[in-house]
Amino acid sequence: MHGLIFTTWEKYLGERFGGGLLSAYREAIGESPSATPLVSRLYDDGVLLEGVATASRLSGHSPEQLLREYGRYFIMNSLTGHLCKYILSGVSSAYDLLLTMRDVHSRLRKTAGGLTPPLFNYEFAPHERSVVLIYDSPRQLCPVLLGAIEGAAERYGEEVTIYEHSCMKRGDPVCRIEATFARGTRSAEQLSEQARANAFEQQAHQNALRELGKRILTVLPPEEAQALTLREIRQALQARYRLSPPYLRPAVLLQVLRHLQFAGYVASSEQPEVDLMTRRYWRVSTYWEP
């Protein structure tokens, strides 16, 4: 399971219940201050399941409630928003985000050994802006998916109606979850002139970084044996696109590469965290439409 899940899970516990419960939780699971979760690591599924049981005992809330709240938090929190910016900047509605999530999970399975995010299929419902998600993971973490659907609606200022046709926790072979989205009441007219200006500026910046990401994907090779270092990526971009200096800064390139990794488009060699200049990157060998 991806380290981002564990990192945001503990962030959720701290913000939802306070530092006292988070400290008790870490002590109960035997986590030392120097061993807090890292977004760059992979963790065993069982660690999270044990953590959910511990958090349930300490908080007095059921595992299902905690997981559903966490699913909503995962979509809305700032860390996910930052690391998954390449994904989020490419969609404009909760409906589109759900369809994109399935493709992201499929790509992530090809970027790191042992990473197995849940795959879910979907069917288009007869109603406009409706989709039926089909989830059959042996983890049976369907409450997280329910919360993620609610979080997606909240992120894009929409309303959602959820109907569970079937659920593995009730003994059904798969979970079939129908989500119908409607436009919310939030609109651009409700924003102040300054807020609209700030939103426009932020969107322009995100679009520029997304365009840079597309160009990086065109210069990366599809094979690990031909992978490029950060310096080689910079040289290839400069030769092909004549980019302005601000977009060739190592910090900017590293930020966009990291976003592409979280979107499942790019893989990198296993190098120490401090050895950023010698780490090698390549494009995931799968169909992609950045």
Side-chain angles (χ1 to χ4, degrees):
M1 192 173 287
H2 204 293
L4 180 59
I5 299 295
F6 288 85
T7 304
T8 52
W9 165 251
E10 291 202 0
K11 277 174 60 64
Y12 156 72
L13 291 178
E15 293 181 20
R16 173 69 167 84
F17 300 105
L21 184 136
L22 180 58
S23 296
Y25 168 84
R26 288 172 170 168
E27 181 179 355
I29 64 173
E31 179 184 295
S32 64
S34 61
T36 54
L38 300 173
V39 295
S40 58
R41 285 191 54 190
L42 303 181
Y43 296 86
D44 185 83
D45 294 0
V47 177
L48 179 64
L49 298 177
E50 292 176 8
V52 171
T54 299
S56 175
R57 175 174 56 81
L58 293 173
S59 68
H61 294 281
S62 69
E64 289 74 19
Q65 179 181 346
L66 294 176
L67 288 171
R68 186 159 183 165
E69 288 184 6
Y70 166 70
R72 187 171 190 155
Y73 176 88
F74 178 80
I75 297 294
M76 292 298 299
N77 83 93
S78 59
L79 182 60
T80 300
H82 173 67
L83 294 176
C84 300
K85 188 174 294 184
Y86 191 86
I87 302 167
L88 297 172
S89 65
V91 297
S92 57
S93 70
Y95 178 87
D96 290 340
L97 180 58
L98 289 184
L99 301 188
T100 300
M101 282 171 57
R102 198 273 178 193
D103 297 332
V104 171
H105 285 187
S106 179
R107 290 194 300 269
L108 284 172
R109 284 176 171 244
K110 301 181 181 182
T111 62
L115 181 60
T116 56
L119 286 181
F120 54 85
N121 293 314
Y122 53 80
E123 299 172 352
F124 294 106
H127 311 292
E128 185 179 3
R129 293 175 55 77
S130 292
V131 63
V132 177
L133 303 179
I134 304 167
Y135 171 89
D136 64 350
S137 171
R139 296 168 175 151
Q140 296 192 15
L141 295 177
C142 44
V144 177
L145 181 56
L146 292 171
I149 295 171
E150 294 169 339
E154 184 176 353
R155 171 172 282 276
Y156 292 98
E158 300 176 0
E159 298 175 355
V160 62
T161 301
I162 299 174
Y163 181 76
E164 297 181 71
H165 294 276
S166 62
C167 181
M168 297 176 71
K169 290 183 175 292
R170 298 197 298 259
D172 297 311
V174 298
C175 298
R176 294 177 61 86
I177 304 168
E178 182 174 352
T180 302
F181 297 95
R183 296 294 183 187
T185 58
R186 187 175 67 188
S187 66
E189 289 75 14
Q190 293 175 298
L191 298 176
S192 67
E193 182 177 348
Q194 183 61 49
R196 285 198 298 271
N198 291 342
F200 179 81
E201 183 178 346
Q202 291 173 4
Q203 187 61 51
H205 178 65
Q206 290 180 7
N207 290 344
L209 292 182
R210 184 171 179 82
E211 186 63 28
L212 178 59
K214 291 180 181 180
R215 293 180 175 183
I216 288 175
L217 288 172
T218 66
V219 302
L220 286 178
E223 302 293 337
E224 181 177 1
Q226 302 167 330
L228 303 179
T229 64
L230 184 64
R231 181 185 298 275
E232 292 167 337
I233 293 171
R234 185 177 185 273
Q235 292 172 342
L237 289 171
Q238 196 168 22
R240 181 176 297 188
Y241 295 109
R242 304 291 183 182
L243 297 177
S244 59
Y247 292 106
L248 293 172
R249 291 167 51 201
V252 175
L253 294 176
L254 284 171
Q255 177 187 0
V256 176
L257 282 166
R258 195 177 197 195
H259 293 168
L260 290 170
Q261 285 185 274
F262 275 92
Y265 286 119
V266 170
S268 67
S269 57
E270 294 297 327
Q271 295 286 350
E273 284 295 322
V274 296
D275 198 8
L276 298 176
M277 300 305 294
T278 58
R279 183 178 301 169
R280 293 187 172 273
Y281 301 89
W282 66 96
R283 176 165 47 86
V284 174
S285 299
T286 185
Y287 178 75
W288 55 272
E289 289 183 350

